[in-house]
Amino acid sequence: MVDRLANSEANTRRISIVENCFGAAGQPLTIPGRVLIGEGVLTKLCRKKPKARQFFLFNDILVYGNIVIQKKKYNKQHIIPLENVTIDSIQDEGDLRNGWLIKTPTKSFAVYAATATEKSEWMNHINKCVSDLLSKSGKTPSNEHAAVWVPDSEATVCMRCQKAKFTPVNRRHHCRKCGFVVCGPCSEKRFLLPSQSSKPVRICDFCYDLLSTGEMTACQSARSDSYSQSPKPSLNDVSDDDDDEDSSD
């Protein structure tokens, strides 16, 4: 099916429409062999609160952006190569249901669909695209992924020292290795994580000590599975902040 659509006029037209919706600020998406598999609105768990984002699944990349005008205009385009993607289902809890993790070496985050059927279709299609890509390239699935950031609303005190309370003056920061919300004194150090940045990035003292001694596996396990076990923020949480992107602390 995908191969038949690859160079069809209908597929080319659909991809062109997506390009136009992102405008001049978006990257070109039309290349030989690329197929638009599907699209839809998913709720992305951002640093400040869950937010609706438009997602487009192609046979080789996943693209998402902010919704400016529904089905007509999007901005802040993000392109994720599917070869680097792994996904894991998230258990339903509270207002956040039908979710899964999208994990890559550079960025990992949770998304939620409107229904269980929609979730199943998204996950099945993503897994099929990833499997096909790896089969064609002969590569193995990525076993490295960036931590999923704990949302700000889940931490009123530093998740490392358990003492520092967050206030407008005492800001929250995120460790790029474990994803925990930490205070400034607990995250003063920087460490080079090549998959995430060409420059040293903020990490907590706990992860710094483990990375410095080469115990990276232990550092990773400190965060693994903790996301699905932690309480989730409400979809009714209010905030006027923009998307959390990686430049924020």
Side-chain angles (χ1 to χ4, degrees):
M1 178 67 174
V2 171
D3 291 337
R4 291 202 305 270
L5 289 172
N7 298 304
S8 71
E9 182 178 339
N11 177 66
T12 301
R13 185 167 59 250
R14 291 175 67 201
I15 296 178
S16 178
I17 291 173
V18 176
E19 283 186 350
N20 292 335
C21 287
F22 278 103
Q27 295 185 37
L29 298 173
T30 303
I31 65 170
R34 176 168 289 165
V35 176
L36 178 58
I37 304 297
E39 62 183 89
V41 176
L42 298 174
T43 298
K44 177 177 178 288
L45 191 58
C46 300
R47 176 179 179 179
K48 297 297 182 182
K49 68 168 186 175
K51 300 177 183 179
R53 295 288 182 258
Q54 181 72 28
F55 280 77
F56 300 92
L57 176 63
F58 297 83
N59 59 332
D60 62 334
I61 58 174
L62 182 66
V63 178
Y64 72 91
N66 294 7
I67 301 170
V68 180
I69 302 175
Q70 185 70 36
K71 295 185 178 180
K72 291 185 177 180
K73 186 177 181 181
Y74 314 110
N75 64 11
K76 296 188 178 180
Q77 182 192 71
H78 297 264
I79 300 177
I80 302 174
L82 285 179
E83 277 191 347
N84 299 326
V85 169
T86 56
I87 58 175
D88 288 325
S89 181
I90 302 173
Q91 291 185 350
D92 292 344
E93 186 173 340
D95 294 324
L96 294 174
R97 307 179 68 83
N98 310 313
W100 68 97
L101 298 179
I102 297 175
K103 302 187 295 184
T104 80
T106 58
K107 184 179 180 69
S108 302
F109 54 90
V111 292
Y112 297 84
T115 66
T117 298
E118 188 179 343
K119 169 186 174 178
S120 177
E121 290 177 348
W122 271 101
M123 292 189 70
N124 288 339
H125 284 306
I126 291 173
N127 277 327
K128 179 65 165 58
C129 290
V130 173
S131 176
D132 289 347
L133 281 172
L134 294 176
S135 177
K136 290 178 181 178
S137 67
K139 296 181 180 179
T140 56
S142 175
N143 58 6
E144 179 184 5
H145 60 82
V148 179
W149 284 16
V150 175
D152 285 1
S153 58
E154 290 189 27
T156 56
V157 299
C158 175
M159 296 177 73
R160 284 304 181 197
C161 69
Q162 300 291 323
K163 296 178 181 178
K165 293 184 178 181
F166 295 120
T167 67
V169 176
N170 188 30
R171 297 175 54 226
R172 292 171 172 83
H173 302 278
H174 276 83
C175 171
R176 272 31 176 205
K177 183 60 182 177
C178 67
F180 279 10
V181 184
V182 291
C183 64
C186 284
S187 60
E188 292 179 338
K189 296 182 175 65
R190 300 289 190 274
F191 200 92
L192 181 62
L193 302 177
S195 63
Q196 296 189 39
S197 175
S198 60
K199 298 179 181 179
V201 293
R202 180 187 293 271
I203 61 173
C204 68
D205 292 348
F206 176 79
C207 289
Y208 182 84
D209 290 342
L210 291 175
L211 288 166
S212 298
T213 56
E215 298 180 26
M216 288 187 289
T217 302
C219 182
Q220 186 65 35
S221 64
R223 182 69 180 103
S224 65
D225 297 330
S226 64
Y227 177 85
S228 59
Q229 297 169 2
S230 62
K232 307 299 186 298
S234 169
L235 283 170
N236 297 320
D237 185 25
V238 292
S239 172
D240 293 327
D241 295 278
D242 290 332
D243 203 352
D244 55 299
E245 304 315 333
D246 294 331
S247 58
S248 58
D249 286 330

